[in-house]
Amino acid sequence: MKKTNSSYREKLNHSAAHILAQAVLNLYPDTKLGIGPAIKDGFYYDFQFSQKITEKELKEISREMKKIIAQNLPFHQKLVSPSQALKIFSQQPFKKELIQELSAEGNKKVSLFFTGKNFVDLCRGPHVKTTGEVKAFALLKIAGAYWKGNEKNPMLTRIYGVAFENKKQLKDYLARLEEAKKRDHRLLGKQLEIFTIPQEVGPGLLLWLPNGAIIRREIENLIFEEQTKRGYQHVYSPHIGRKKLWVTSGHWDLYRDKMYAPMKIDEEEYLVKPMNCPFHMMVYKSKPRSWRDLPLRIAEIASVYRYEQPGELSGMVRVRYITQDDAHIFCRPEQTVDEFLEVFDYITFLLKVFAIKKYHFRLSLRDPQNKKKYLGNDKIWEEAENKIITALEKKGVSYFKAEGEAAFYGPKLDVIIEDALGREWQCGTIQVDFMLPQRFNLEYTNKKGEKEQPVLIHRAPLGSLERWVGILIEHYGGAFPIWLAPVQVKVLPISEKQLEYAQKITASLREKGIRVQLDGSNQTLSYRIRQGEIQKIPFLVIVGQKEEETETITIRQRNGKNIPGRSLSWFEEKLSRLIKERSPQLLK
Ligand SMILES: [Zn+2]
Ligand SMILES: [Zn+2]
């Protein structure tokens, strides 16, 4: 039932795209039409206008669309020969280009869709029955888009919209959109002074500001602590290394478009690392290994550098400097499934700490049509894939398969999380790899005294810390749990007379390792409270004459709750416990 519903929404959105094109042609008859598909969350249509289109014109276009919807025009299909189609679209160069391509592919007929009598588009469908079914829609934004996504082609104007079966759904959607805008990490990240990406440094090269650095350090502490408990050993490795390392690993052949050009040092070529794997292979090889040493879990929180297309860079979530919570597990073949499950358990633990309640898993496999993009043979791939599936089934975890999403050296399991607004993000991965151990000649001595090859598991549960913190900003709407909050407490004396008492409280909290600030400025109390709220500080400690006389404090929590008349030691003790537990809660 649900499934038909979602495909109905797709039809609805795609039909709305036709209505949009028709409305545009009614108002601006010399406009050239590009394409207008339904997309994940709505639809768009690309146009070449002869004049500039702004938000103001969108209103006018919306009104025209409403007229077409009110006419309740039927959508109907007609198959014609390519030459007939070329005549019908004689004024539409982009459509003509598409028709010629269809004809060159050997199509004897092309499919057209009419809306009533006056509008026709080149389209295979499907659509809803009539324009009247589009009960609610909104045009959302305008963007530039190259014809066919190629920068050598003309830049067209893309109008985005969204259509629904009823007004309530549209209203809910727009409310969610508004909330997402408020939580946009690029906006909040600036307001909360978490990161900056100055053009002087370079696109996608992020600087962690002091507040961001605190958040990152806290996450790193969590990772270090928990991984140490789970038997990982942490290492450090350089940012560059001989090119040959990545030739051996296969990155140079199959991952080069994401790597920066080599640099020459002492007549030899070096690369900036796009991944840590080769270094950890060298850690493994730093001494002979026996079966007793395995599993060996080598971890490093390390920054790598990857070339992302300029158009894909976005705030913290897509950058060119990526800090991974990386590790490589070397194990005996019979340990693979258990090691995989242990990583799985760790990921589940992390998601719980960050209060991410909804997530699912994607099993990313090779593209069967394009095996050249990957190392190794069918047998190795099947073996690795079977290890993952066995582990998943042992745990009773459901997953879906995605062909063409694997790493070039092996299949992987990706964690897709759902944030507080129901949006999906791909974060961590676990990969089983038989390839790199072979290419780097890794071995260990087995129980019989023979040399054997270990299996390698690559894993980065959070993925990239930059991306992770970007997602967290939006997930929490900037209101970080206490353990992550850059400032945990702000002390506000009501008047100058309590300044000394406030300083004493601040010093005591700082002494306990709590991140505290004193705001004893001349601004009114309500102004200072408001500032604390904008900064989303978990606790404001307010002290006036009454508090000073009774040696108490009044705590104002971020959720608006006031807790008066408590002793400082009571607060310190509660707070320290919440921090230590990395609790997502405030005070009860
Ligand atoms: Zn269509
Ligand atoms: Zn790796």
Side-chain angles (χ1 to χ4, degrees):
M1 192 64 203
K2 220 167 186 182
K3 212 161 191 183
T4 38
N5 214 353
S6 80
S7 78
Y8 179 76
R9 258 219 76 201
E10 227 174 283
K11 279 198 275 184
L12 200 68
N13 272 296
H14 178 64
S15 304
H18 280 244
I19 297 169
L20 166 61
Q22 183 174 0
V24 164
L25 281 190
N26 287 354
L27 297 168
Y28 312 97
D30 59 351
T31 305
K32 308 302 176 208
L33 303 181
I35 56 162
I39 51 175
K40 187 175 166 279
D41 234 6
F43 65 89
Y44 70 76
Y45 212 111
D46 287 344
F47 302 101
Q48 191 173 49
F49 287 100
S50 57
Q51 67 180 95
K52 193 166 162 46
I53 295 294
T54 64
E55 302 286 332
K56 196 177 127 233
E57 280 78 27
L58 284 192
K59 280 208 187 96
E60 201 189 341
I61 295 169
S62 289
R63 272 199 295 275
E64 189 64 26
M65 285 174 74
K66 279 184 189 146
K67 283 187 208 162
I68 296 165
I69 290 166
Q71 287 165 32
N72 201 19
L73 302 170
F75 290 102
H76 58 96
Q77 190 181 27
K78 197 172 172 189
L79 296 171
V80 299
S81 68
S83 63
Q84 279 173 296
L86 284 171
K87 259 182 231 144
I88 293 170
F89 291 101
S90 62
Q91 301 303 309
Q92 293 292 345
F94 301 113
K95 296 290 180 195
K96 274 161 68 181
E97 193 181 322
L98 296 175
I99 294 162
Q100 274 152 358
E101 280 169 16
L102 287 170
S103 165
E105 283 165 17
N107 291 291
K108 297 275 174 281
K109 293 278 177 196
V110 297
S111 168
L112 307 184
F113 258 92
F114 284 80
T115 312
K117 288 200 182 74
N118 297 325
F119 178 76
V120 60
D121 204 344
L122 177 69
C123 181
R124 266 191 301 256
H127 301 91
V128 293
K129 288 198 184 69
T130 64
T131 59
E133 285 185 48
V134 181
K135 296 263 187 316
F137 76 93
L139 297 182
L140 299 173
K141 62 175 180 183
I142 310 170
Y146 293 108
W147 170 237
K148 290 183 169 168
N150 185 337
E151 55 197 281
K152 293 192 183 93
N153 289 334
M155 169 75 88
L156 306 180
T157 303
R158 176 169 296 179
I159 299 179
Y160 285 95
V162 62
F164 289 94
E165 288 156 64
N166 59 53
K167 294 224 158 51
K168 162 110 181 37
Q169 285 175 1
L170 176 65
K171 212 177 132 217
D172 291 348
Y173 175 84
L174 293 177
R176 271 206 313 278
L177 205 65
E178 203 46 47
E179 184 57 31
K181 259 190 211 160
K182 264 191 259 162
R183 287 173 179 239
D184 189 325
H185 78 278
R186 289 164 299 185
L187 216 91
L188 277 177
K190 191 172 158 68
Q191 186 191 319
L192 300 172
E193 300 183 22
I194 289 171
F195 74 100
T196 176
I197 306 178
Q199 280 313 300
E200 293 88 331
V201 178
L205 298 174
L206 174 147
L207 303 182
W208 293 86
L209 295 173
N211 286 342
I214 288 172
I215 295 168
R216 172 170 160 174
R217 180 61 50 88
E218 287 292 351
I219 296 175
E220 289 182 358
N221 289 346
L222 164 71
I223 292 168
F224 183 76
E225 229 179 85
E226 189 60 26
Q227 289 186 162
T228 304
K229 274 189 211 160
R230 289 171 187 261
Y232 286 81
Q233 295 171 286
H234 293 84
V235 298
Y236 294 106
S237 65
H239 290 236
I240 62 169
R242 285 185 209 268
K243 179 178 141 189
K244 197 166 172 295
L245 276 178
W246 284 280
V247 174
T248 306
S249 68
H251 287 94
W252 184 249
D253 277 342
L254 294 165
Y255 199 72
R256 204 184 309 175
D257 56 342
K258 291 255 185 192
M259 292 161 68
Y260 294 100
M263 62 187 105
K264 242 192 189 142
I265 302 173
D266 297 340
E267 293 308 303
E268 207 178 324
E269 288 191 306
Y270 281 72
L271 288 167
V272 178
K273 64 172 165 184
M275 289 189 186
N276 302 300
C277 325
F279 293 127
H280 294 182
M281 304 300 119
M282 294 299 127
V283 170
Y284 181 90
K285 287 179 89 166
S286 64
K287 66 177 192 184
R289 304 287 179 183
S290 109
W291 64 274
R292 285 191 187 82
D293 299 330
L294 306 184
L296 183 72
R297 309 180 184 98
I298 300 298
E300 183 178 6
I301 301 170
S303 300
V304 297
Y305 301 83
R306 295 179 188 170
Y307 177 76
E308 299 287 351
Q309 297 287 337
E312 291 187 348
L313 295 172
S314 168
M316 295 187 100
V317 299
R318 188 106 28 178
V319 289
R320 287 178 174 169
Y321 144 68
I322 301 153
T323 311
Q324 292 178 304
D325 57 334
D326 206 4
H328 292 89
I329 300 168
F330 304 88
C331 64
R332 308 201 296 269
E334 70 272 18
Q335 294 171 321
T336 317
V337 169
D338 283 342
E339 280 306 303
F340 193 92
L341 287 173
E342 161 50 35
V343 174
F344 201 82
D345 185 69
Y346 175 45
I347 292 179
T348 318
F349 164 84
L350 285 175
L351 294 177
K352 198 170 163 218
V353 173
F354 289 104
I356 307 267
K357 295 195 179 76
K358 287 189 189 159
Y359 48 90
H360 56 268
F361 298 94
R362 178 178 73 196
L363 178 58
S364 296
L365 305 170
R366 272 188 308 180
D367 177 358
Q369 307 303 323
N370 197 355
K371 292 184 180 172
K372 284 197 303 291
K373 275 170 46 193
Y374 308 88
L375 299 175
N377 56 38
D378 290 352
K379 188 174 161 280
I380 287 186
W381 276 82
E382 265 163 39
E383 223 176 308
E385 191 182 322
N386 286 337
K387 291 276 188 206
I388 299 181
I389 292 175
T390 309
L392 289 170
E393 280 170 2
K394 214 171 157 183
K395 193 92 189 164
V397 177
S398 60
Y399 58 90
F400 69 97
K401 290 185 182 184
E403 283 176 347
E405 297 286 335
F408 67 80
Y409 44 78
K412 58 182 179 124
L413 189 73
D414 297 311
V415 189
I416 319 272
I417 65 155
E418 200 178 295
D419 71 9
L421 295 181
R423 293 167 306 174
E424 290 188 345
W425 304 88
Q426 192 210 313
C427 293
T429 60
I430 323 177
Q431 306 168 4
V432 175
D433 180 3
F434 293 89
M435 232 71 76
L436 291 198
Q438 195 182 352
R439 293 173 77 100
F440 279 92
N441 288 318
L442 304 188
E443 54 183 31
Y444 66 94
T445 312
N446 67 16
K447 285 180 190 169
K448 290 184 217 147
E450 303 154 349
K451 297 290 180 208
E452 219 177 300
Q453 203 173 78
V455 174
L456 173 61
I457 296 174
H458 310 246
R459 38 112 289 177
L462 301 181
S464 121
L465 294 189
E466 287 74 15
R467 185 180 171 79
W468 185 252
V469 170
I471 294 167
L472 285 187
I473 294 173
E474 303 199 0
H475 178 60
Y476 298 133
F480 284 91
I482 309 167
W483 68 282
L484 284 175
V487 178
Q488 292 161 325
V489 181
K490 207 164 195 177
V491 182
L492 310 178
I494 291 180
S495 84
E496 240 172 69
K497 287 183 202 133
Q498 289 88 39
L499 191 58
E500 207 175 306
Y501 182 54
Q503 279 164 345
K504 218 175 80 190
I505 288 166
T506 307
S508 174
L509 285 162
R510 188 166 290 142
E511 176 74 12
K512 304 284 180 311
I514 289 158
R515 294 188 290 267
V516 57
Q517 274 180 6
L518 171 69
D519 184 356
S521 65
N522 290 331
Q523 305 286 355
T524 62
L525 182 66
S526 61
Y527 176 86
R528 285 179 287 152
I529 289 176
R530 178 82 196 110
Q531 287 307 303
E533 283 168 354
I534 291 171
Q535 292 163 350
K536 310 205 187 257
I537 293 168
F539 304 102
L540 302 177
V541 164
I542 300 165
V543 289
Q545 194 186 344
K546 196 174 114 217
E547 280 82 5
E548 188 171 7
E549 280 166 12
T550 53
E551 286 203 32
T552 59
I553 56 173
T554 291
I555 304 151
R556 188 187 165 92
Q557 293 206 123
R558 186 167 58 196
N559 60 8
K561 190 176 166 190
N562 271 319
I563 307 172
R566 296 291 178 158
S567 71
L568 178 60
S569 58
W570 178 87
F571 180 52
E572 284 174 344
E573 194 193 310
K574 293 271 183 214
L575 192 51
S576 299
R577 191 156 71 225
L578 289 173
I579 294 169
K580 190 161 173 280
E581 289 169 354
R582 299 193 170 93
S583 168
Q585 312 290 336
L586 295 173
L587 294 174
K588 289 266 157 51

